[in-house]
């Protein structure tokens, strides 16, 4: 869970996740251009989101498609709420 909250702690990564509609896939280049970061910076943030389990990727030929693992995100948030509620 620490990796998830670390990933969510950055405004660029938050914006990246909010780009996706439910069950939507976006190309890496589209995510990078939408958040106005250099390709290197975008790749760094995408890597952190992937390592946290919040983004999954699928290769479509030469293009890498990303999607949000909403179940992973929900599980972490639900575990946090359960802890808070005691």
């Amino acid at each position: 869970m620490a990796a998830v909250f670390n990933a969510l702690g950055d405004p660029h990564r938050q914006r990246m996740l909010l780009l996706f509609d439910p069950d939507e896939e976006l190309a890496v280049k589209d995510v990078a251009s939408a958040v106005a970061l250099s390709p290197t910076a975008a790749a760094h943030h995408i890597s952190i989101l992937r390592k946290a389990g919040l983004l999954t990727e699928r290769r479509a030929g030469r293009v890498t498609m990303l999607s949000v693992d909403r179940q992973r995100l929900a599980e972490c948030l639900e575990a946090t709420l359960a802890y808070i509620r005691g």
Side-chain angles (χ1 to χ4, degrees):
M1 268 189 3
V4 169
F5 285 106
N6 178 57
L8 294 174
D10 183 89
H12 294 297
R13 294 190 288 267
Q14 292 169 17
R15 275 193 301 253
M16 285 180 171
L17 290 177
L18 293 172
L19 291 172
F20 293 84
D21 288 332
D23 301 319
E24 181 179 30
E25 286 186 315
L26 296 172
V28 169
K29 66 180 182 75
D30 295 332
V31 172
S33 65
V35 293
L37 293 172
S38 71
T40 303
H44 169 74
H45 289 294
I46 288 168
S47 176
I48 291 171
L49 290 167
R50 283 182 45 246
K51 287 177 183 172
L54 295 175
L55 283 181
T56 59
E57 68 179 34
R58 176 184 67 82
R59 295 288 295 171
R62 297 170 124 173
V63 178
T64 301
M65 301 300 292
L66 300 170
S67 59
V68 176
D69 187 338
R70 291 178 185 276
Q71 183 168 341
R72 167 87 170 129
L73 180 57
E75 288 169 357
C76 288
L77 295 175
E78 287 168 6
T80 302
L81 284 174
Y83 174 76
I84 291 168
R85 292 181 179 137

